[in-house]
């Protein structure tokens, strides 16, 4: 599904406050609660995207119409993100997050309960709007916590999202294996996750713990930086998220429709992808420290393209799962380094640079689903996978832009 997961941040925080000598217990509790929130969202998202074939079958959705529904979700997510940002200014990120995360679970249950296309449109529309609001409020709260800690902690939140994706894909596989059906699977998941989200929300950090950190981080992100130095990184971000959207929306469907796989086995395509993402995020920083950002990005792009190629020529389901797993190891190396490179370009205004780069994860999701869906409808999913493969290869000539700037040559901010 084309809902936009939170974008990882691997950037430095030069404008952050110094770490307090005695960290407030509430701050640590808030960090742990937000980590759980990211995990729950990863689980919810994975349950939805790994059940696209079942959703399509339940509602009688044609292959030609499926990309339309999938593309509508990130559009509505963008609208939800904008609305959430305005609400956060009035009520705070914690207040918005406490409401929208349980509501996302309810929209997941609604997707499994309907039977008509208009019901699916309403349920997915609500899911898109709420996920956009959730994305914005979670990241605002995370950035506020990072600002108070005085060092990068966002990668841990997004590792939790990946772990949640693994749990969600595994649950979807079990549900398919035991033929639970969407009403039981999504309804049970919502009945468990929504109360957990409500409980977790009581521990989110608020003004007492964060002070003005969220506002200060938002003001930093609002400062203007020039577009031109960021454009190569923006392209790399868009290409990476086109690849990610292709896996999220079509990996399971490719295995079931293209390779004749059982539905429970097909869920392992997304599960393997998310396991690789989690392991890659755990090891990625060490690889960059040892080999440098440019070789890591080039290797990641090559691995991602190889993964698409392996999946496209796979003779059976297990080969396709292996291809998507290789792809996950490649993509996870690119996305965090885009943010890190943007932060190095504008060390005094890294939040503003990252805010601009983050727009292109939406661009990637908006383009990825219709692109793959249209090619698959015109030919086959094997040919459709070659389109994101070529775009990922286009990251190779952009890799030089990930090199650290020589001392004193970073581009100045404007405005």
């Amino acid at each position: 599904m084309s809902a936009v997961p939170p974008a990882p941040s691997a950037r430095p925080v030069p404008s952050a406050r110094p770490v307090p000598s005695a960290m407030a217990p509430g701050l640590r509790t808030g960090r742990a609660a937000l980590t759980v929130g990211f995990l729950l969202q990863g689980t919810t998202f994975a349950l939805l995207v790994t059940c696209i074939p079942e959703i399509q079958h339940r509602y009688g959705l044609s292959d030609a119409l499926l990309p339309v529904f999938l593309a509508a979700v990130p559009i509505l997510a963008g609208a939800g993100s904008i609305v959430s940002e305005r609400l956060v200014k009035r009520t705070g990120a914690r207040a918005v997050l406490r409401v929208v995360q349980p509501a996302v679970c309810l929209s997941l249950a609604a997707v499994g309960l309907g039977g008509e296309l208009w019901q699916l449109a309403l349920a997915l529309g609500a899911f898109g709007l709420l996920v956009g609001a959730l994305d914005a409020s979670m990241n605002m709260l995370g950035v506020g916590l990072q600002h108070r800690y005085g060092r990068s902690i966002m990668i841990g939140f997004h590792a939790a999202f990946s772990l949640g994706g693994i749990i969600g894909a595994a649950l979807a596989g079990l549900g398919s294996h035991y033929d639970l059906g969407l009403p039981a699977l999504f309804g049970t998941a919502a009945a468990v996750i929504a109360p957990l989200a409500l409980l977790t929300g009581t521990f989110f950090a608020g003004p007492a713990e964060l002070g003005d950190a969220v506002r200060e981080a938002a003001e930093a992100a609002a400062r203007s930086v020039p577009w031109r130095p960021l454009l190569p990184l923006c392209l790399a971000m868009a290409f990476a998220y086109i690849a990610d959207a292709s896996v999220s929306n079509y990996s399971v469907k490719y295995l079931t429709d293209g390779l004749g796989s059982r539905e429970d086995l097909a869920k392992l395509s997304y599960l393997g992808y998310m396991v690789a993402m989690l392991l890659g995020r755990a090891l990625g920083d060490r690889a960059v420290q040892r080999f440098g950002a440019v070789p890591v990005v080039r290797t990641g792009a090559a691995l991602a393209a190889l993964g698409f190629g392996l999946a496209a020529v796979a003779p059976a389901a297990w080969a396709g799962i292996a291809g998507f797993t290789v792809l996950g190891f490649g993509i996870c190396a690119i996305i965090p380094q885009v943010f890190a490179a943007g932060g190095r370009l504008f060390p005094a205004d890294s939040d503003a640079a990252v805010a601009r780069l983050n727009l292109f994860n939406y661009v990637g999701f908006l383009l990825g689903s219709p692109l793959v869906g249209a090619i698959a409808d015109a030919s086959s999913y094997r040919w459709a996978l070659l389109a994101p493969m070529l775009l990922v290869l286009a990251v190779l000539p952009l890799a030089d832009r990930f090199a650290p700037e020589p001392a004193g040559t970073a581009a100045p901010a404007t405005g």
Side-chain angles (χ1 to χ4, degrees), residues 69 105 152 179-180 194 243 301 343 359 362 366 401:
F69 276 74
C105 300
S152 178
D179 198 22
L180 292 182
L359 293 174
Y362 287 90
L366 285 171
R401 301 303 182 100

Side-chain angles (χ1 to χ4, degrees), residues 21-413:
S21 56
M23 186 70 70
L27 205 58
R28 292 193 177 94
T29 302
R31 179 182 178 183
L34 188 59
T35 301
V36 174
F38 270 88
L39 184 144
L40 295 178
Q41 171 56 6
T43 303
T44 305
F45 179 74
L47 279 167
L48 188 66
V49 299
T50 53
C51 290
I52 287 176
E54 291 94 330
I55 293 171
Q56 188 178 12
H57 176 74
R58 180 176 181 84
Y59 289 93
L61 195 61
S62 68
D63 286 342
L65 196 56
L66 178 62
V68 178
F69 276 74
L70 297 181
V73 174
I75 295 174
L76 292 170
S81 178
I82 294 171
V83 173
S84 175
E85 289 174 7
R86 294 178 179 177
L87 290 175
V88 165
K89 291 179 181 179
R90 297 182 179 182
T91 63
R94 177 174 64 176
V96 174
L97 186 53
R98 282 174 170 175
V99 173
V100 297
Q101 185 153 42
V104 167
C105 300
L106 297 179
S107 68
L108 175 70
V111 171
L113 292 174
E116 303 291 335
L117 280 181
W118 66 268
Q119 294 172 322
L120 177 63
L122 288 178
L124 285 182
F127 185 87
L129 286 169
L130 291 167
V131 161
L134 179 61
D135 178 16
S137 56
M138 287 180 89
N139 279 284
M140 288 179 193
L141 190 57
V143 168
L145 283 166
Q146 179 170 270
H147 202 65
R148 285 287 284 122
Y149 267 77
R151 56 185 171 86
S152 178
I153 61 173
M154 292 291 284
I155 192 68
F157 296 139
H158 301 296
F161 179 88
S162 298
L163 179 59
I166 295 169
I167 295 172
L171 291 174
L174 289 173
S176 180
H177 180 75
Y178 291 104
D179 198 22
L180 292 182
L182 290 182
L185 178 63
F186 287 177
T188 302
V192 174
I193 298 175
L196 286 176
L198 288 170
L199 177 62
T200 301
T202 62
F203 297 99
F204 288 147
E209 296 83 16
L210 297 176
D212 292 330
V214 173
R215 178 185 59 78
E216 292 168 0
E219 290 175 353
R223 288 196 288 270
S224 177
V225 296
W227 274 105
R228 187 172 180 179
L230 289 175
L231 285 179
L233 299 177
C234 293
L235 288 174
M237 176 69 81
F239 296 157
Y241 271 103
I242 287 173
D244 186 77
S246 301
V247 179
S248 299
N249 292 326
Y250 290 107
S251 62
V252 176
K253 187 166 175 58
Y254 168 58
L255 262 67
T256 55
D257 293 4
L259 300 181
S261 168
R262 304 191 319 269
E263 288 184 349
D264 56 348
L265 180 61
K267 312 297 184 190
L268 296 181
S269 60
Y270 189 74
L271 178 64
Y273 177 75
M274 293 305 292
V275 168
M277 290 279 281
L278 179 61
L279 292 176
R281 285 173 176 170
L283 302 174
D285 286 339
R286 293 183 181 180
V288 171
Q289 292 167 9
R290 181 172 181 179
F291 302 108
V294 173
V296 168
V297 170
R298 283 179 176 157
T299 303
L303 277 176
L306 175 62
F308 273 121
L310 291 174
V313 301
W318 281 106
I321 293 168
F324 288 119
T325 302
V326 171
L327 197 156
F329 278 114
I331 290 298
C332 75
I334 298 173
I335 295 172
Q337 290 309 308
V338 171
F339 288 107
R344 288 193 296 267
L345 276 175
F346 301 97
D349 287 296
S350 62
D351 289 318
V354 169
R356 290 200 170 186
L357 291 169
N358 194 46
L359 293 174
F360 284 81
N361 73 28
Y362 287 90
V363 173
F365 271 91
L366 285 171
L367 295 177
S369 177
L371 175 67
V372 174
I375 297 175
D377 188 51
S379 55
S380 69
Y381 282 106
R382 291 187 186 274
W383 286 106
L385 292 177
L386 298 180
M389 182 188 78
L390 293 175
L391 291 175
V392 167
L393 285 174
V395 175
L396 289 173
L398 301 174
D400 288 339
R401 301 303 182 100
F402 289 79
E405 292 285 332
T409 62

